[in-house]
Amino acid sequence: QAGNATMPWVVGEDQRALDLALAVQEEGMLAQAIRLPTVAKGSARLRLTVSASRTEAQIGKLGAALQRLSADGYGWEAAEPRSSGVGT
């Protein structure tokens, strides 16, 4: 969709993706856990979507939540951002 940026973050195992999606939801935002059979085993990911309608404060809140989750041991240091290929 125009005006949206989808950012997939590969986190590995299905349970990790589910745990992270729930943690982001508990922060008041939405992240979808994408896992088997949609993606290959061991390549579960979170799908984060940021739209042009979001404020700078909302995007900052998401960034802060992801930093907090990393500090809480959710393993973001192992996650690799991957391009969705949209717009490239």
Side-chain angles (χ1 to χ4, degrees):
Q1 289 179 333
N4 286 344
T6 301
M7 300 169 288
W9 285 79
V10 177
V11 298
E13 297 304 316
D14 289 356
Q15 191 60 53
R16 178 183 277 178
L18 290 167
D19 291 346
L20 285 166
L22 180 59
V24 170
Q25 182 180 349
E26 288 172 352
E27 294 279 342
M29 294 160 284
L30 178 64
Q32 294 175 298
I34 308 300
R35 56 201 193 283
L36 194 69
T38 305
V39 296
K41 184 176 180 176
S43 65
R45 62 201 66 203
L46 288 185
R47 180 179 294 153
L48 303 164
T49 303
V50 178
S51 72
S53 66
R54 299 295 174 214
T55 66
E56 189 174 327
Q58 290 171 317
I59 294 169
K61 179 180 176 183
L62 175 61
L66 296 179
Q67 284 183 323
R68 216 173 13 264
L69 292 172
S70 176
D72 288 345
Y74 276 96
W76 281 90
E77 66 281 353
E80 298 178 21
R82 305 256 175 124
S83 171
S84 65
V86 175
T88 58

